[in-house]
Amino acid sequence: MPQMWSAPVADGPADARVALPGSKSMTNRALILAALAGDPSLVRRPLRSRDTLLMAGALRALGVTIEDSGDDWRVTPGELRGPATLDVGLAGTVMRFVPPVAALAAGDVFFDGDPYARKRPMGTILAALRVLGAEVDGDALPFTVRGAGGVPGGSVTIDASGSSQMVSGLLLAAPRYGKGAEVRHEGPPVPSGAHLTMTVRMLREAGASVETGDDVWRVHPGGLRGGEVGIEPDLSNAAPFLAAALVTGGRVTVRDWPAETTQPGDELRRLLAEMGAAVTYEDGDLTVRGGSIHGIDVDLGDVSELSCVLAAVAALADGPSRLRGIAHMRGHETDRLAALTTEINGLGGDVRELPDGLEIRPRPLHGGVFRTYDDHRMVMAAAVLGLAVPGVEVENLATVGKTLPEFGELWAEMLR
């Protein structure tokens, strides 16, 4: 049986200042760009978690040198080569960002991961790589990229409505392709648009020439430069801590919140305010103060990684909520819509799964086992519920190691 963690109940209003480790999304993009650069890079204050360690391990296996330098990582590009066997775990950024890089290697590169990773959508990006001139055996994990030392590149049209990572993965490697790459999207809207904005900005900061239009992105061929890359705190991982202020009627401050950022977690300012919080930003710190918890009707398509925590807050609100635009969450680390519905209802809640999201009607909740499906965001949602509901037993706290290994310690410290 998985180890259970008793989610602590708040015995009063939270009052804490929290310092969070670096952004997973920025760290893994920075590692890809540094691996493809023409000279060494220093990635400052990267996140060290399962997802980023898997990314570093995959790039090392392809010939890139990544060394600890105090709190930083020093990345020295090398000749990309196979044969290599890569473990992607359950990390979407690894399984979708590394294959376009592996296509540049000389030799075969075999990819596999956790059992559920084999169910995550991969066919779109692998088919796109074939159009751009790469040879790939397979349409889902496990698969093999038969690297030929280069990729011709060109134009490709895809349906990226399942994940913006399909676009980002192609763009990040495109400067090294012979013709670069032009990626067009046709289909329902691409989710998580903020992450695409992050990809484009980080490419440009590394020296790439990138043009964007309506559902089209073009990256011209050319060299990438190394140098120093600073990693911001992970704002999506701030969600449960800031939500704790609202749920307990207390005050939580997250330190070093960037004044300007492409991270989708920055939307917490607006979303928690709509749910009843008082939100202030001063001297680089973001503070949330709690009040009454209100329901919300909102499209979370661009910020779906916040949805699990917001669903937990909504289950404790004074009125119903509807979370829309998140159908693609069925293809995340687990089917998050089904998982949230099952687990919150298992505690006495009233959650109904919709074609594109969730309808949540608050009811008195009771304790019980909250399964997490090896999904870090489900652990965070359970922790938020446990603040107000005694007896919530959370399955496998360790799964937060995917993006925030320190979660348990930070959570306990916040409540002290």
Side-chain angles (χ1 to χ4, degrees):
M1 290 291 293
Q3 187 174 0
M4 294 294 173
W5 175 62
S6 298
V9 179
D11 58 8
D15 188 2
R17 288 173 57 83
V18 180
L20 292 172
S23 161
K24 176 205 73 176
S25 299
M26 293 187 71
T27 298
N28 276 357
R29 283 166 173 78
L31 287 174
I32 291 283
L33 293 170
L36 298 175
D39 39 47
S41 299
L42 190 66
V43 181
R44 292 204 172 277
R45 300 174 304 280
L47 174 67
R48 287 178 170 85
S49 71
R50 187 184 185 216
D51 277 18
T52 62
L53 293 173
L54 285 167
M55 177 65 83
L59 294 173
R60 287 185 180 117
L62 294 175
V64 179
T65 300
I66 302 175
E67 301 171 301
D68 288 327
S69 178
D71 292 335
D72 308 325
W73 266 336
R74 187 171 299 280
V75 182
T76 304
E79 183 179 352
L80 299 174
R81 62 183 184 274
T85 297
L86 308 187
D87 176 13
V88 307
L90 197 52
T93 50
V94 182
M95 68 180 72
R96 293 167 184 150
F97 292 2
V98 179
V101 176
L104 293 163
D108 293 350
V109 183
F110 177 76
F111 289 78
D112 203 357
D114 294 358
Y116 192 84
R118 298 183 176 191
K119 301 180 181 181
R120 298 193 71 178
M122 283 296 301
T124 296
I125 194 166
L126 298 182
L129 282 174
R130 294 187 187 99
V131 172
L132 294 173
E135 183 179 350
V136 184
D137 292 347
D139 293 304
L141 287 164
F143 60 85
T144 299
V145 176
R146 302 200 179 278
V151 178
S155 298
V156 63
T157 299
I158 65 174
D159 179 354
S161 59
S163 173
S164 66
Q165 291 173 353
M166 306 295 183
V167 178
S168 287
L170 297 171
L171 300 183
L172 288 166
R176 290 282 299 272
Y177 290 4
K179 301 175 185 176
E182 179 182 87
V183 181
R184 292 184 176 273
H185 163 71
E186 289 185 0
V190 181
S192 302
H195 280 133
L196 281 173
T197 302
M198 178 186 293
T199 295
V200 170
R201 176 179 290 186
M202 292 184 72
L203 273 163
R204 287 173 172 159
E205 289 173 348
S209 174
V210 187
E211 301 170 10
T212 64
D214 292 336
D215 287 336
V216 60
W217 302 263
R218 168 166 266 293
V219 179
H220 295 275
L224 295 173
R225 58 175 174 262
E228 291 193 7
V229 183
I231 304 298
E232 301 169 357
D234 195 312
L235 306 188
S236 295
N237 280 341
F241 299 95
L242 296 178
L246 185 53
V247 169
T248 67
R251 175 182 63 184
V252 174
T253 297
V254 173
R255 297 169 49 191
D256 301 321
W257 195 281
E260 181 183 355
T261 181
T262 55
Q263 290 192 64
D266 196 44
E267 278 294 287
L268 286 165
R269 305 193 204 200
R270 175 181 66 85
L271 293 166
L272 292 177
E274 288 186 23
M275 299 189 84
V279 182
T280 56
Y281 182 76
E282 186 176 0
D283 296 331
D285 294 342
L286 187 78
T287 300
V288 168
R289 292 176 173 83
S292 298
I293 307 174
H294 306 315
I296 192 171
D297 185 340
V298 63
D299 187 328
L300 297 176
D302 278 343
V303 293
S304 58
E305 60 199 62
L306 308 179
S307 300
C308 292
V309 165
L310 293 177
V313 176
L316 303 170
D318 58 11
S321 294
R322 181 167 178 156
L323 310 183
R324 297 177 280 105
I326 49 177
H328 62 284
M329 283 175 48
R330 293 185 173 94
H332 279 193
E333 283 82 342
T334 187
D335 179 342
R336 285 179 173 166
L337 299 186
L340 288 165
T341 300
T342 299
E343 300 311 316
I344 295 176
N345 287 351
L347 302 181
D350 182 4
V351 180
R352 185 166 68 95
E353 190 173 340
L354 305 173
D356 75 332
L358 298 173
E359 185 177 71
I360 302 170
R361 297 184 178 278
R363 292 175 54 182
L365 302 180
H366 55 71
V369 172
F370 194 102
R371 294 177 297 164
T372 56
Y373 309 87
D374 295 325
D375 188 332
H376 58 138
R377 303 293 180 202
M378 291 293 290
V379 173
M380 295 176 185
V384 171
L385 289 170
L387 293 170
V389 182
V392 175
E393 297 292 323
V394 184
E395 178 189 73
N396 193 12
L397 172 66
T399 196
V400 292
K402 177 178 172 63
T403 56
L404 187 56
E406 306 94 329
F407 177 77
E409 292 80 5
L410 289 170
W411 197 251
E413 179 64 26
M414 175 188 71
L415 295 176
R416 280 196 289 271

